[in-house]
Amino acid sequence: MLLQTSLQNPNVSLSSSLSYSRSSFPWRNPSYTLLRHSVNYRRFSVSCSISQVHSYGTLDYERRPMVKWNAIYKRISLMENPELGSGTVLNQWEKEGRQLSKWELCRVIKELRKFKRFERALEVYYWMNNRGERFRLSSSDAAIQLDLIAKVHGISAAENFFLSLSDSSKDKRIYGALLNAYVRARMKEKAESLLDKMRIKGHATHSLPYNVMMTLYMNLKEYEKVELMVSEILEKNIKLDVYSYNIWLSCCGSQGSAEKMEEVFEQLKSDKTINPNWTTFSTMATMYIKMGNFEKAEECLRKVESRISGRDRIPYHYLLSLYGSVGNKEEIYRVWNIYKSVFPSVPNLGYLAIISALLRIGDIEGAEKIYEEWLPVRSSYDPRIANLFMVYHIKKGNLEKALSFVDHIVEVGGKPNSATWEALAEGHTGEKRISRALFYWKEAFAAEGSKNWRPKPANVCCFLDLCEQEGDLESKEVLVGLLRKSGYLKDELYASLVGLSPEAINDNGIASEDGFNRDDIFENKDDESEMVLNQLQGSA
């Protein structure tokens, strides 16, 4: 039996630090004149609905009837006053005479995690923790709590939670969750030290912790350490899984070796217990694109399409994005039409993928048309879609159009996010307006949800470099202070930015010259660092 954690739910204010109104947009420079965009934004009304549920690698809860859990999830996700917390909804539900089961609550948590409502999900666990006589929590539950605590309250809080558990309860799930948190924060030394402990305790006898560490080394571009991890796995006769091979393939491709990547693929094919999945071929397609071999990339994309099964939407998002990187407009529209024919409704992520692909190839008219399609059917206003247009216009040197999109987001009932403000900071940095750029950086760090945002290293580096060139060390220190206060300087990548030129930074490893980062459009991308929780949860 796990010890109940003494960690209390901190009072985290969710109220926005900004106040918006239609008549007053504080981010606007008074000298600007609003230019009307060709899209008729104002004829669409705001609507809201819950996206369809699909499995994404954890327990197969969908086999059970989804009646009560779905109603509870909707109540929590659509709370008018989120500051009241999930516990208020659960208390009201039981006051209405309907008792909750652990299965229903875990299903709600799964859905909240899926849509990145991490604080709401953690509040459900707090509610269960306070009712220990009713709910027996497993080590899998503790692992998920640790993961949520790290995302909501930071690594230190996650470490305190870990220490509050009895040694006998700390199994591979708990250690794996903490390792996952270290890797997500790019704390290499702590991750390596924890993996050593896992080896000693016998918790590193499977591929998952090695996959997570390989992901960290890939993010840090320490490819030789990925190779060392693979060698250790093989020496210990630990079976490589398809994720191990996918990371290995990516490692070879990232070093520009198509030959080595193809050798690894042949080794994968020779393992009769593993079938290459669609992510295998999307990984290879990505690498071929980086090497400029579009013919082989498109061959891999056809294999991606042939391996789509069930009701999985995510492969279509990758196909759209990668055909955008290849520059194949015909295939982008073909895949889009197939996608719409397969699914009765398309989520925001689908529109994000198609618009990103069209903007990447310069089809602004097509992107605007799709945007018009999306506005009346959207589940909610997703500012990331507007951000795509903003980045496009900034790259084209039209900062005024980017600013008009910020006005538009607010006018249709949306709320700019941290990436919105970062884009404007990028635009003003490009025009050497340090004070305006710094204003938007401050907005980015203060925006609601900023805990789930990572500033692009290239943008940070460009601003710091501009401050150096102009001798504005005060503004530089302000941004460094924001990075420090938010904990980013604990990340080796951000800590190393001072002194690096913008050309030395490659956003998350997959930045492209047009300024779009393919990973930005995937909430449920095949992030190997999430596998510990997703796979080990199923073995609870």
Side-chain angles (χ1 to χ4, degrees):
M1 183 77 178
L2 293 178
L3 294 177
Q4 294 295 331
T5 177
S6 60
L7 183 65
Q8 298 299 312
N9 185 3
N11 294 321
V12 180
S13 174
L14 297 181
S15 60
S16 174
S17 60
L18 302 174
S19 176
Y20 306 120
S21 69
R22 291 175 182 269
S23 60
S24 176
F25 300 121
W27 52 84
R28 300 282 302 183
N29 186 319
S31 65
Y32 286 128
T33 301
L34 178 64
L35 295 180
R36 294 300 176 196
H37 201 272
S38 59
V39 179
N40 184 7
Y41 303 127
R42 291 174 175 74
R43 64 190 180 89
F44 300 106
S45 60
V46 178
S47 64
C48 186
S49 65
I50 302 298
S51 299
Q52 289 186 334
V53 176
H54 64 82
S55 174
Y56 63 106
T58 56
L59 287 174
D60 189 8
Y61 293 110
E62 285 81 3
R63 292 181 181 177
R64 301 197 184 190
M66 58 172 195
V67 181
K68 281 200 292 185
W69 77 259
N70 200 30
I72 299 165
Y73 166 73
K74 285 184 178 181
R75 282 198 186 185
I76 292 174
S77 62
L78 300 177
M79 288 177 69
E80 290 185 4
N81 188 359
E83 291 183 2
L84 294 176
S86 301
T88 304
V89 172
L90 302 178
N91 287 333
Q92 181 61 36
W93 186 272
E94 293 210 326
K95 281 182 182 178
E96 294 169 4
R98 293 176 285 187
Q99 190 159 343
L100 295 160
S101 69
K102 183 188 173 185
W103 178 86
E104 289 165 337
L105 292 170
C106 287
R107 188 60 183 82
V108 170
I109 289 168
K110 175 189 174 183
E111 200 70 4
L112 291 168
R113 289 174 61 216
K114 174 180 167 183
F115 290 100
K116 297 194 174 184
R117 308 288 184 86
F118 302 127
E119 191 160 4
R120 303 286 81 78
L122 185 57
E123 289 165 354
V124 176
Y125 265 126
Y126 287 144
W127 191 86
M128 286 197 289
N129 287 344
N130 292 330
R131 292 157 181 78
E133 72 284 355
R134 285 177 54 188
F135 304 106
R136 184 179 182 276
L137 301 183
S138 66
S139 61
S140 176
D141 292 311
I144 297 169
Q145 282 193 74
L146 191 153
D147 177 74
L148 290 170
I149 289 168
K151 288 173 176 172
V152 175
H153 301 305
I155 292 296
S156 294
E159 290 173 328
N160 289 338
F161 179 84
F162 180 82
L163 293 173
S164 75
L165 302 173
S166 65
D167 288 340
S168 61
S169 70
K170 295 174 185 174
D171 63 7
K172 64 180 181 180
R173 299 167 178 83
I174 309 295
Y175 276 92
L178 184 58
L179 180 67
N180 199 38
Y182 285 147
V183 167
R184 191 165 50 239
R186 301 195 186 194
M187 294 181 174
K188 185 175 74 169
E189 291 183 2
K190 285 194 172 186
E192 290 175 336
S193 176
L194 186 63
L195 182 61
D196 285 337
K197 291 180 182 178
M198 293 177 71
R199 291 183 179 111
I200 293 169
K201 290 180 176 292
H203 296 328
T205 57
H206 48 89
S207 61
L208 286 176
Y210 294 99
N211 291 345
V212 172
M213 286 302 299
M214 286 193 289
T215 301
L216 173 62
Y217 293 136
M218 284 296 299
N219 288 336
L220 298 176
K221 301 176 182 60
E222 296 183 6
Y223 304 122
E224 72 285 351
K225 290 193 175 181
V226 176
E227 300 282 358
L228 288 174
M229 286 282 102
V230 173
S231 297
E232 181 178 342
I233 294 173
L234 295 175
E235 288 172 6
K236 292 183 175 180
N237 291 319
I238 297 173
K239 184 171 175 54
L240 293 168
D241 60 18
V242 69
Y243 302 104
S244 311
Y245 278 109
N246 288 348
I247 301 169
W248 195 5
L249 288 166
S250 182
C251 177
C252 297
S254 295
Q255 296 176 80
S257 177
E259 182 180 356
K260 194 171 182 180
M261 182 173 71
E262 288 161 3
E263 287 176 2
V264 172
F265 180 67
E266 289 301 318
Q267 183 173 331
L268 167 59
K269 287 199 301 181
S270 68
D271 189 335
K272 301 303 180 183
T273 64
I274 300 178
N275 290 320
N277 57 19
W278 69 263
T279 59
T280 304
F281 293 105
S282 70
T283 296
M284 294 181 69
T286 301
M287 295 302 109
Y288 280 129
I289 289 169
K290 291 179 70 174
M291 296 177 211
N293 193 333
F294 290 172
E295 183 177 346
K296 284 194 173 181
E298 293 205 32
E299 183 181 335
C300 287
L301 293 180
R302 287 190 287 273
K303 291 179 180 177
V304 169
E305 196 168 346
S306 70
R307 281 164 172 76
I308 299 176
S309 60
R311 306 293 293 173
D312 192 357
R313 302 170 185 267
I314 305 304
Y316 291 99
H317 301 169
Y318 273 84
L319 284 169
L320 291 167
S321 178
L322 291 171
Y323 275 124
S325 295
V326 170
N328 194 325
K329 181 178 178 178
E330 181 180 340
E331 286 298 291
I332 293 172
Y333 280 107
R334 183 187 66 80
V335 171
W336 176 242
N337 289 329
I338 292 174
Y339 185 11
K340 291 193 295 183
S341 70
V342 171
F343 297 97
S345 63
V346 178
N348 288 348
L349 283 176
Y351 285 98
L352 196 66
I354 178 67
I355 290 172
S356 174
L358 293 176
L359 290 177
R360 187 169 297 167
I361 64 173
D363 185 5
I364 182 65
E365 293 81 8
E368 289 173 349
K369 183 177 179 182
I370 298 294
Y371 185 78
E372 287 193 37
E373 276 182 32
W374 171 68
L375 283 173
V377 300
R378 66 191 186 276
S379 58
S380 60
Y381 192 89
D382 190 335
R384 292 175 301 173
I385 294 178
N387 293 348
L388 291 173
F389 286 98
M390 291 177 63
V391 170
Y392 176 84
H393 291 308
I394 287 169
K395 296 299 179 185
K396 295 294 182 181
N398 196 331
L399 184 57
E400 179 60 26
K401 278 194 174 182
L403 282 162
S404 73
F405 253 97
V406 183
D407 296 347
H408 163 64
I409 292 172
V410 178
E411 288 174 358
V412 297
K415 185 177 289 186
N417 62 13
S418 294
T420 309
W421 304 120
E422 182 184 2
L424 294 179
E426 177 188 359
H428 284 285
T429 298
E431 297 190 2
K432 297 187 176 182
R433 298 173 181 170
I434 293 179
S435 61
R436 294 300 296 171
L438 184 60
F439 171 80
Y440 292 119
W441 275 121
K442 291 177 181 178
E443 297 294 281
F445 281 92
E448 183 178 330
S450 61
K451 290 180 181 178
N452 300 320
W453 159 77
R454 287 174 62 89
K456 292 181 180 178
N459 289 339
V460 172
C461 194
C462 283
F463 180 80
L464 297 177
D465 189 56
L466 176 62
C467 290
E468 289 281 354
Q469 292 175 16
E470 301 295 324
D472 190 345
L473 299 183
E474 182 178 349
S475 294
K476 175 182 176 180
E477 285 305 312
V478 171
L479 181 58
V480 171
L482 290 170
L483 291 167
R484 182 181 295 109
K485 184 177 179 181
S486 300
Y488 289 112
L489 294 187
K490 295 178 182 177
D491 185 317
E492 293 182 21
L493 175 60
Y494 289 101
S496 67
L497 287 181
V498 177
L500 289 179
S501 65
E503 291 76 17
I505 304 297
N506 183 9
D507 289 354
N508 297 323
I510 319 181
S512 56
E513 291 181 1
D514 57 16
F516 295 100
N517 184 343
R518 185 170 63 84
D519 279 350
D520 287 345
I521 70 171
F522 301 111
E523 275 189 23
N524 292 310
K525 64 179 181 289
D526 188 43
D527 183 354
E528 319 300 349
S529 68
E530 292 296 326
M531 291 188 305
V532 169
L533 290 175
N534 288 345
Q535 293 190 24
L536 290 180
Q537 182 185 356
S539 62

